[in-house]
Structures are given as C-alpha cells and as structure tokens.
Amino acid sequence: MRIVAFTGAGISAESGIPTFRGKDGLWKKFKVEELATPEAFFRNPKLVWEWYDWRRQLIAKAEPNEAHKILVKMEEEFPDFFLITQNVDGLHQRAGSKKVVELHGNIWKVRCVDCGQESYDYRTPLPEIPPRCEKCGGLLRPGVVWFGEMLPLDALEEAYRLSREADIFIVIGTSGVVYPAAELPYVAKEHGAQVMEVNPEKTPISRIADIIYEEKASTGLKKVYEYIKEKYGSKG
Ligand code: OAD
Ligand code: ZN
C-alpha cells in the first residue's frame, strides 16, 4: 500500500507562514515578476534577496504544526509512505519527515550563479545582501525554483514515479494551479490511486478527489490518518 502526501503552502499556514494566493497571500502584496523570476533577480539581486531574507526570518521563527507532525507519524507507521512538497520552508524536515521530495527547492539553500557551488546557509538575517560565493566571489541566488524555470529533474522524475505508483494520494494545502507540480494528482488518479484532498477551499483538484476534507490541514489530516488506519490497518 503506497501512500503519497503532496503538500503546498497551506500546510504551513497554521505555523504562521503566509501562503501565496488567497486574501492574505504573498502575491496580493508583492509582484511575482519583481521577485520570483530569474529576470527580476538579475535586474535587482538586492531587492530579491531582501524579500527572501525577510521570508527566511519568518520561517526561522515559525515551528512545524500538527499537520507536519501527523505526516511524520504516517511516515513512521506506514512502511511505504512518501512526501512530495512544493514548499521551500523546510518545515517538513524540521518536524522529522525524512522521505521528502522537494519540487521547488529550499529557501535555506544558496547557489552560485557563476560556479554552480551549492550549500545551505541558515543565517538570519544574512550578514551581506546580496550574498557572495566563498569559492569564486560570484553572486549567490536562493536555491528555489522561480517562475519560468525548470524544476530539478531528479526531484520531478521521482515525484512522477511516486505518483504513478501511489495507492492513496493525499493533497494538502495547495491551490493546484502551478504546473508541472499541479499535474501530480491527475497522474496518480489516472494510475488508479484514491485521491484525498485537505483544503478549507475547493480547488481544481477537488473535481478528481474521491474524498475531500474541506478544512484546515491539522484537523483534516487527522481524519485522513484515522481513515487510513481504519480501512487498511496500521501497516497501511
Ligand atoms: P497557494 O498559496 O497557491 O495555495 C495555498 C492553498 O492552501 C490554498 O488552496 C488555500 O485554500 C489552502 N490553505 C490555506 N490555509 C490552509 C490551511 N490552514 N490548511 C490547509 N490548506 C490551507 O500555495 P501553493 O499551492 O503551494 O511556487 O502554490 C504553489 C506554488 O506557487 C508555490 O510552490 C510557489 C508559488 O508561487 C514557486 O514559487 C515556484
Ligand atoms: Zn562561485
């Protein structure tokens, strides 16, 4: 019984991290094309880094919530459980999840635009903005995927494979509008998975969901967990 959880910004909302869309979403206050594209970065790396530095500080102060913890429990309990996330906040790993595929990178990662050197930098705030590569002095960029960029191929292939092979595919807190990530629930469904959705609002994915918990990630996931245990036993 393979269980795959697929998360978006909504799972971190209860940790106090703003989502992107919706009424208090980041894309209401900020413009994508000024902050989350490669063009924006090369035009004004300082501005883009200030925005990421601010987000890094918000995330550093936040704690994983009950929903993150339920996914850790599921990983520990079900032998064939995997997590695919669009989130860059690293809260799944901080909660204790180990089998995590990150589709959109990680906000704590930095990468040199000249030599490609990649590393993690957890300092907040960063001592110098924009930060520079220790090896070659080149400009460092956040290790996240921006609009107009390819997703990391290894992560994407892994995500497609897990989705094809899933028996239960749980979609949590994503608006389901950013591709190719948003395609995964459809891939799972086409290959026979039961699709479950946890989201206080309807999304395009709701149309193909077999079971919908129209509520917050923490309470909705608790119900998903109980449903799976009830139906399939504790080994999933
Ligand atoms: P969005 O901000 O687009 O969607 C967040 C979803 O979470 C919405 O459907 C909300 O209804 C739902 N939500 C809000 N509060 C919730 C709660 N407490 N529990 C559960 N769900 C809740 O975020 P994503 O779908 O993750 O990409 O966005 C996808 C991508 O667009 C992001 O990875 C990022 C963004 O721009 C890039 O930057 C490439
Ligand atoms: Zn370098």
Side-chain angles (χ1 to χ4, degrees), residues 13-117:
E14 289 169 77
S15 295
I17 299 172
T19 61
F20 296 97
R21 295 166 189 83
K23 78 172 161 45
D24 298 321
L26 292 171
W27 299 143
K28 283 271 143 60
K29 274 179 268 168
F30 304 100
K31 290 205 179 87
V32 170
E33 60 278 12
E34 284 172 12
L35 296 168
T37 66
E39 293 76 18
F41 181 72
F42 288 107
R43 197 163 52 230
N44 195 343
K46 186 163 174 284
L47 175 77
V48 170
W49 262 117
E50 277 164 356
W51 191 65
Y52 276 91
D53 200 40
W54 168 70
R55 285 179 59 204
R56 285 161 57 107
Q57 293 179 53
L58 282 183
I59 292 165
K61 286 193 206 106
E63 294 293 335
N65 65 56
E66 202 45 41
H68 296 105
K69 290 177 193 161
I70 294 170
L71 293 178
V72 177
K73 210 151 70 177
M74 290 174 81
E75 178 182 283
E76 285 166 0
E77 187 158 333
F78 305 132
D80 200 6
F81 176 91
F82 293 87
L83 176 53
I84 303 169
T85 189
Q86 301 167 80
N87 298 345
V88 298
D89 59 29
L91 283 187
H92 285 305
Q93 292 89 335
R94 265 172 64 195
S97 285
K98 296 197 173 63
K99 294 186 276 182
V100 187
V101 177
E102 290 183 322
L103 284 178
H104 290 164
N106 189 297
I107 202 163
W108 301 108
K109 227 189 249 176
V110 293
R111 185 168 73 244
C112 178
V113 301
D114 290 337
C115 76
Q117 168 91 352

